[in-house]
Amino acid sequence: MRRGSALLMALWTIMVLSVIVMSFSFEARLQGGINVYVQNKNRVKRLVESGRILGEAVLVGYTDAKQWSEDEDEKVLLEEDRWYKEKQSLKYKSKCSVGPILLDEEDKDSGTVEVEISVAENGKSGGLNINTLYSQDANWMTRWQIILDQLGISREEDFRTKDGKTINLQHHIMACWNDYRDEDESCTQIDGKDCGAEQKEYELWYDDNEDDVAEEDRFGPANAEITDLKELSRVLCFREYPALLTGGVINPYEDEKKQINVKGLLSMGIFSVSGDGRINVNDCTVAQLLTVPGIYSEDEVEEDDKSESKEAAEAIVKCREIMPQEYDVPEDGRKQWGYGEFTSDWWSDMVQRTSDEFDVQIDQSAQKYLKAGPDDSTVFSMRITGRLMDMAYTVECECYVKDGAVRYVSWKE
């Protein structure tokens, strides 16, 4: 009996000790795994920091990138500047990628870093900076008229408001935006009439719509630049007629035959909130080009008469994808041939290529509204990805270049 009890106690002790040993072993293995994870995470973060430095090296020097030359020696150029190809791509195509690059070429497990740079979505250099479309620019009304023509808002016909008044809707939109953007407290006049809205007009409208607008949603004119296109919804004309921004019928209170159905300014994809107001011909859409005097003819108001303007805009976009016959350059699998990439005069390059390929003529007056690459007013989006074994760490940021240094607008890990 005593022998059986002793054996049972021995077995029980062995089992308890085994559980303790297994527990310690599991905890040690878990702790080891955590240590490896933390170590690798720190290493992959350092990879991202290396990627940031690589990205900055390209961004700071891309404006000095040389044009492609028929007699250039790629090997010599790479010795002079390891990133000259990436800089060329950013300058003439508005985007580039670096890597993936091994941290240690002799150690395949050392981790890689990859950097992608492009013009930021909300600051796309091809887009028209809406902050420039106000009375500080002598041509601001002309450009608004062109845009509103395409939106389907008449220049001449009277627009009947919900309370039975008649207004020129184009004038009301332009003036309301100008008063929201400019720094004075005087209503904008067009053709001798007050057409806009300053603080007093906003307060009157809020009083008339107090049941529909919460106190925290009441805004007056910013009298400054906007930083997000969503802020347009605060401008009085767009509060009165929200379909002007989002699309739909702007006057549902009218008879069906008199209703005006619009696409919506935001869905046209023509605006940005950064840049100098010029359109980048190497990074733009047809819709953005149709905001340019000299490409869009102000006389073409009817939808069916816009063919020449649209043909010119489409020709500019399509010719970026066609290799010019007179250029004896390597294709390298490329899909875009930027204006000014192979000649010193981007304007003559564009005019000649569009004329040769599509027989369209672009008026000289359009030149001052256009440019052929990013500049110091351009906001870039940079995506940095570090990879180590099966771990990846990514940073997405927005930045711009000023005084030879990269300044960061946002940083998201």
Side-chain angles (χ1 to χ4, degrees), residues 23-37:
S23 175
F24 279 132
S25 176
F26 175 77
E27 186 175 348
R29 188 165 50 188
L30 182 63
Q31 188 62 48
I34 292 173
N35 290 339
V36 170
Y37 171 79

Side-chain angles (χ1 to χ4, degrees), residues 111-159:
T112 62
V113 63
E114 183 175 6
V115 183
E116 298 169 277
I117 305 173
S118 61
V119 177
E121 185 69 23
N122 205 29
K124 197 167 180 59
S125 62
L128 171 58
N129 182 0
I130 194 170
N131 288 307
T132 65
L133 293 186
Y134 78 112
S135 52
Q136 187 176 346
D137 181 356
N139 297 307
W140 73 282
M141 286 183 60
T142 298
R143 300 197 78 174
W144 266 116
Q145 286 173 330
I146 289 173
I147 293 165
L148 295 175
D149 283 349
Q150 296 178 68
L151 194 65
I153 306 300
S154 172
R155 295 190 187 191
E156 306 297 338
E157 292 181 15
D158 288 335
F159 178 83

Side-chain angles (χ1 to χ4, degrees), residues 14 40 42 67 79 85 88 96 193 197-198 205 236 250 252 259 282 285-286 298 302 311 341 375:
I14 292 171
N40 286 344
N42 289 334
Q67 293 175 321
E79 289 176 354
K85 282 191 172 182
Q88 278 186 339
C96 73
K193 297 180 180 179
E198 290 290 354
W205 188 81
L236 187 60
I250 60 176
Q259 290 178 354
N282 283 327
T285 64
V286 170
E298 295 181 58
E302 297 299 327
E311 283 177 5
E341 187 174 357
D375 54 27

Side-chain angles (χ1 to χ4, degrees), residues 258-278:
K258 296 182 179 180
Q259 290 178 354
I260 303 172
N261 197 324
V262 298
K263 183 179 180 181
L265 285 171
L266 295 182
S267 60
M268 291 174 72
I270 59 176
F271 289 127
S272 73
V273 293
S274 67
D276 57 7
R278 293 181 297 162

